Amino acid sequence: MPQYREKLWASAWSFIVTALVMPASILVLAPISMFAGFVTAAVLYGGCVTLLIIASPVVKVENGLITAGPATISVDLVGDVIPFSGTEASQERGPRLDVRAWMLIRGWVDPIVKIPIVDKTDPAPYWLVSTRHPQKLAAAINESRRPAAGS
């Protein structure tokens, strides 16, 4: 059975941009104490990095389940998964978006997959999930949905 696992880490630019809290806090606290400015800078940047790491969800397909961050669904309850990237991904996240859709979107990850939900009791018509490897994730889910040979 196909397996897939991906952690949606923040981009390198996110870590670089958050480093701007360091000179800002040093500048604010320099008139009081340079030592306090440097300590505060280190603590604030450490906090920002920690939050970026904690906010990085895992997307995985294993044992007949799709997990995207806090949500899990059986592969038996989804239709054919469609990968999108570039302008098509932007259209899916924007003008073509159904407001009932469940989304796990990260701004630092452009490609997405659209996972249709075939369970009539589920209020969400589909999931939109960010992924850096839309073709691989779609293939893993679609292959998991097919019965094994000889079953």
Side-chain angles (χ1 to χ4, degrees), residues 74-98:
S74 171
V75 294
D76 298 331
L77 300 175
V78 302
D80 282 329
V81 179
I82 308 162
F84 294 99
S85 57
T87 54
E88 286 298 308
S90 295
Q91 290 292 312
E92 289 298 322
R93 286 188 304 266
R96 292 193 290 230
L97 179 66
D98 184 328

Side-chain angles (χ1 to χ4, degrees), residues 16 19 23 29 41 45 59-60 79 91 117 130 137 139:
I16 293 168
L29 293 173
Y45 184 64
V59 176
K60 64 183 177 178
Q91 290 292 312
I117 308 297
S130 290
L137 177 54

Side-chain angles (χ1 to χ4, degrees), residues 4-10 51-60 67-71 102-109 129-132:
Y4 180 88
R5 188 178 198 299
E6 173 183 14
K7 182 132 173 121
L8 299 177
W9 295 106
L51 288 174
L52 285 172
I53 291 170
I54 290 170
S56 300
V58 172
V59 176
K60 64 183 177 178
T67 302
W102 185 87
M103 296 179 287
L104 179 73
I105 302 293
R106 292 297 179 258
W108 50 77
V109 180
V129 178
S130 290
T131 175
R132 287 192 170 87

Side-chain angles (χ1 to χ4, degrees), residues 57-75:
V58 172
V59 176
K60 64 183 177 178
V61 180
E62 63 184 16
N63 302 324
L65 296 173
I66 305 163
T67 302
T72 302
I73 191 168
S74 171
V75 294

Side-chain angles (χ1 to χ4, degrees), residues 11-73:
S11 67
W13 280 107
S14 300
F15 291 98
I16 293 168
V17 169
T18 57
L20 293 175
V21 302
M22 292 190 298
S25 61
I26 292 169
L27 207 76
V28 168
L29 293 173
I32 300 165
S33 165
M34 282 301 279
F35 177 74
F38 281 105
V39 169
T40 303
V43 169
L44 286 176
Y45 184 64
C48 290
V49 168
T50 301
L51 288 174
L52 285 172
I53 291 170
I54 290 170
S56 300
V58 172
V59 176
K60 64 183 177 178
V61 180
E62 63 184 16
N63 302 324
L65 296 173
I66 305 163
T67 302
T72 302
I73 191 168

